[in-house]
């Protein structure tokens, strides 16, 4: 059981950029109900566990491989085994919301994790597309980018691994039926896909970041609607959970340095 006693020092310091990113990632699963929260990266994993402990109590959590976690407080506690065939069954039925990484993203949410440069003679070989194509046409997907830069946010991705809105429309109903890109969280800002034709829109900037800074580090025209709000900060209860329960050793600060 999670202790509700808070050390006097826990809330003495303002939220860090990493802690704001944890909450921004957690918000991706708000309202999802009973789905499997799959993550790539420390900050999204903390976000999923925070969401389960607060506003999304029905989320299912995994260790990132084949085990279901019994409790968000302890990633070593195991509730059960999730065989690969059952994991894929959940994904195929839309009962998973994954937050993936991206080496490149364009304004429609096309993602590249395969290679940089020409497919025939790439400059860099990356992970390969893995499950990205099927993820993006079968269940909700969000993205986490720990270092926002023009190298990631590009006019056109070199290879389409995860399917963006424009490519899904081109492919037809088989691709659009369950296609659902939710949000993109970076170390600077949060994006959604609420601009016309489902283009990426700047939904909020993190405290201490300006819209112009985001614009300078984005390789395509930035879509905005009116005044861009600030990303919400953790509540005192959320901050205590992050600092005392979920990540007492500060792994989040090694992924987001600000």
């Amino acid at each position: 059981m999670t202790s509700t006693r808070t050390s006097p020092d826990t809330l003495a310091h303002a939220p860090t950029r990493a802690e704001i990113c944890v909450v921004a990632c957690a918000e991706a699963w708000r309202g999802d109900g009973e789905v499997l929260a799959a993550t790539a990266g420390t900050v999204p994993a903390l976000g999923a566990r925070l969401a389960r402990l607060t506003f999304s109590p029905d989320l299912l959590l995994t260790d990132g491989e084949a085990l279901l976690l019994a409790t968000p407080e302890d990633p070593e506690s195991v509730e059960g085994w999730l065989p690969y065939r059952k994991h894929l069954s959940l994904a195929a039925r839309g009962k998973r919301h994954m937050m993936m990484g991206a080496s490149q993203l364009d304004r429609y949410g096309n993602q590249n994790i395969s290679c940089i440069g020409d497919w025939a003679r790439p400059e860099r070989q990356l992970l390969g597309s893995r499950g990205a194509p099927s993820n993006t046409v079968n269940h909700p997907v969000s993205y986490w980018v720990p270092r926002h830069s023009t190298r990631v946010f590009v006019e056109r991705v070199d290879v389409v691994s995860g399917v963006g809105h424009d490519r899904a429309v081109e492919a037809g109903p088989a691709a659009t039926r369950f296609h659902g890109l939710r949000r993109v969280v970076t170390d600077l800002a949060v994006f959604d896909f609420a601009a016309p034709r489902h283009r990426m829109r700047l939904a909020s900037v993190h405290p201490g970041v300006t819209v112009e800074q985001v614009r300078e580090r984005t390789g395509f025209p930035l879509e905005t609607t009116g005044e861009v709000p600030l990303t919400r900060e953790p509540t005192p209860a959320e901050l205590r959970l992050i600092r005392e329960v979920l990540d007492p050793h500060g792994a989040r600060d090694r992924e987001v340095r600000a």
Side-chain angles (χ1 to χ4, degrees), residues 116-123:
I116 301 298
D118 182 76
W119 172 262
R121 294 181 64 86
E123 299 169 19

Side-chain angles (χ1 to χ4, degrees), residues 112 114-123 125 128-129 158-161:
N112 175 21
S114 184
C115 70
I116 301 298
D118 182 76
W119 172 262
R121 294 181 64 86
E123 299 169 19
Q125 182 65 56
S129 290
D158 293 340
V159 175
V160 176
S161 301

Side-chain angles (χ1 to χ4, degrees), residues 108-110 133 135-141 143 162-169 172-182 193 198:
Y108 292 101
N110 292 294
N135 288 344
T136 45
V137 299
N138 281 308
H139 58 74
V141 166
Y143 290 107
V163 180
H165 285 286
D166 59 338
R167 297 296 186 120
V169 169
T176 57
R177 186 178 180 188
F178 300 112
H179 185 262
L181 301 183
R182 296 287 180 81
F193 291 90
H198 296 294

Side-chain angles (χ1 to χ4, degrees), residues 48-65:
R49 292 166 60 199
L50 180 66
R52 162 78 175 267
L53 278 173
T54 54
F55 48 76
S56 292
D58 295 326
L59 278 183
L60 301 175
L61 304 175
T62 78
D63 66 343
E65 295 184 3

